[in-house]
Amino acid sequence: MTQPPIVTPEGFLAHWQGHRRLTRRATEAFPEDKLFTYTAAPPMRPFGVMAWEIHQVSELTLNGLLTGEWVEPDWRQGSSTDRAKLLSDWDGLSARLDAEFPNVDLNFFAQTHRLPWGEMTGWEAAIYTIDNEIHHRGQGYVYLRALGIEPPAFYER
Amino acid sequence: MTQPPIVTPEGFLAHWQGHRRLTRRATEAFPEDKLFTYTAAPPMRPFGVMAWEIHQVSELTLNGLLTGEWVEPDWRQGSSTDRAKLLSDWDGLSARLDAEFPNVDLNFFAQTHRLPWGEMTGWEAAIYTIDNEIHHRGQGYVYLRALGIEPPAFYER
């Protein structure tokens, strides 16, 4: 059974990194004093806290894809309110992703794995990570609009 | 070169339909008088208008995948403010997707196509459609929270 792939590993990595670049721009678009304090709709979290969550889930997913171990992060460590630290960690993970994603065993995507939030295939885990990023970034776009700021173009990656 | 696929056609269809079910629940969660009128952050559109856009882009994408023709929708026709009509069209497309997506020529995903908004591969066009849905639904979640309504669980599909 040799079907043409819906997406190649290179295409999947490009997809993921494109979203990471866009989320980085959204993070930068916030006024520094609003990133970790402002919410457009309580009890929703500030966008900076969501961005840390995205970072930690992405790191978990890359590690899981590489090692088969899905260790729930210590979410509290993600709550630094220093944007420079967030962006620096973000860029470090983007570099790791470029360097290490090509090492992922492709059999991993079809196999079922035990994540902190349940069993899913490697594909489901990887795409869920990106979906979660898109979901929260979309929320950040409303925050930006409510602050009178035009968000970065969604179609630019 | 026979690599294990990152996602099978069945997996991709399940991914798409899972998001469609969640967006349907988000659409239903709005008070009927708010769906096409309320915005949490002007000049953003009401969620019902975004849902029609998602519907039209999804229809365009399914048609494009099946025929190779990507015809820009008449966006104005998508502006009915009757939720029952929106949900009925939505369900009709979900049924079409289940029935017709298996007929898509898998070579289509790697090929480059000319869409109304530029050239992209079939994979990029298909995943962009889903990403756009997640993005706007995430915005709808903020609208719901701002209205004091708990959105449907993101992880349930």
Side-chain angles (χ1 to χ4, degrees):
Chain A
M1 191 190 73
T2 56
Q3 297 178 317
I6 287 183
V7 58
T8 61
E10 295 74 22
F12 190 83
L13 175 59
H15 176 65
W16 196 348
Q17 292 283 31
H19 279 298
R20 291 182 59 76
R21 285 191 294 272
L22 181 55
T23 305
R24 193 187 196 288
R25 286 199 290 277
T27 303
E28 287 184 297
F30 275 83
E32 188 134 18
D33 65 327
K34 296 283 193 264
L35 182 61
F36 291 99
T37 57
Y38 178 75
T39 175
M44 294 186 75
R45 298 167 292 170
F47 183 68
V49 177
M50 295 183 193
W52 271 119
E53 180 202 287
I54 293 165
H55 174 74
Q56 290 192 280
V57 174
S58 301
E59 190 173 45
L60 166 82
T61 301
L62 177 59
N63 291 340
L65 289 168
L66 289 164
T67 67
E69 305 208 354
W70 303 80
V71 182
E72 179 149 18
D74 177 353
W75 300 110
R76 286 164 304 177
Q77 288 187 348
S79 58
S80 159
T81 57
D82 177 349
R83 172 156 59 188
K85 164 75 172 151
L86 169 61
L87 293 177
S88 160
D89 281 20
W90 193 271
D91 293 341
L93 185 61
S94 293
R96 268 196 67 202
L97 199 56
D98 270 339
E100 301 178 28
F101 186 82
N103 301 330
V104 173
D105 174 1
L106 295 180
N107 289 299
F108 211 82
F109 288 98
Q111 293 162 352
T112 299
H113 308 279
R114 185 180 297 274
L115 272 69
W117 33 86
E119 289 201 340
M120 52 182 82
T121 65
W123 151 256
E124 288 167 339
I127 200 72
Y128 187 91
T129 296
I130 301 173
D131 291 356
N132 185 61
E133 175 166 352
I134 300 166
H135 174 70
H136 286 312
R137 189 184 57 220
Q139 298 175 334
Y141 273 45
V142 185
Y143 290 17
L144 286 169
R145 285 288 187 193
L147 290 166
I149 296 165
E150 180 160 349
F154 179 69
Y155 50 83
E156 276 177 22
R157 303 290 159 78
Chain B
M1 191 188 75
T2 57
Q3 297 178 316
I6 288 184
V7 58
T8 61
E10 296 74 22
F12 190 84
L13 176 60
H15 176 65
W16 196 348
Q17 292 282 31
H19 279 299
R20 291 182 60 76
R21 285 191 294 273
L22 181 55
T23 305
R24 194 187 196 287
R25 286 199 290 277
T27 304
E28 287 184 296
F30 276 82
E32 187 133 20
D33 65 327
K34 297 282 192 262
L35 182 61
F36 291 100
T37 58
Y38 177 76
T39 175
M44 294 187 74
R45 298 167 293 171
F47 183 69
V49 177
M50 295 183 193
W52 271 119
E53 179 202 288
I54 293 165
H55 174 74
Q56 290 191 280
V57 174
S58 301
E59 190 173 44
L60 165 82
T61 301
L62 177 60
N63 291 341
L65 289 169
L66 289 164
T67 67
E69 305 207 353
W70 302 81
V71 182
E72 180 147 19
D74 177 354
W75 300 110
R76 288 164 303 179
Q77 288 188 350
S79 58
S80 159
T81 56
D82 178 348
R83 172 157 60 189
K85 165 74 172 151
L86 169 61
L87 293 178
S88 160
D89 282 20
W90 192 272
D91 293 340
L93 185 60
S94 294
R96 269 196 65 202
L97 199 55
D98 270 339
E100 301 179 28
F101 185 83
N103 301 330
V104 173
D105 174 3
L106 294 181
N107 289 299
F108 211 82
F109 288 99
Q111 293 162 352
T112 300
H113 308 280
R114 186 180 297 274
L115 272 69
W117 33 86
E119 290 202 338
M120 53 181 83
T121 65
W123 150 257
E124 288 168 338
I127 200 71
Y128 187 91
T129 297
I130 302 173
D131 291 355
N132 185 60
E133 175 166 352
I134 299 167
H135 174 70
H136 286 313
R137 189 183 57 220
Q139 298 175 335
Y141 273 45
V142 184
Y143 291 17
L144 286 169
R145 285 288 187 192
L147 289 166
I149 296 164
E150 180 160 350
F154 179 70
Y155 51 82
E156 277 178 22
R157 304 288 159 82

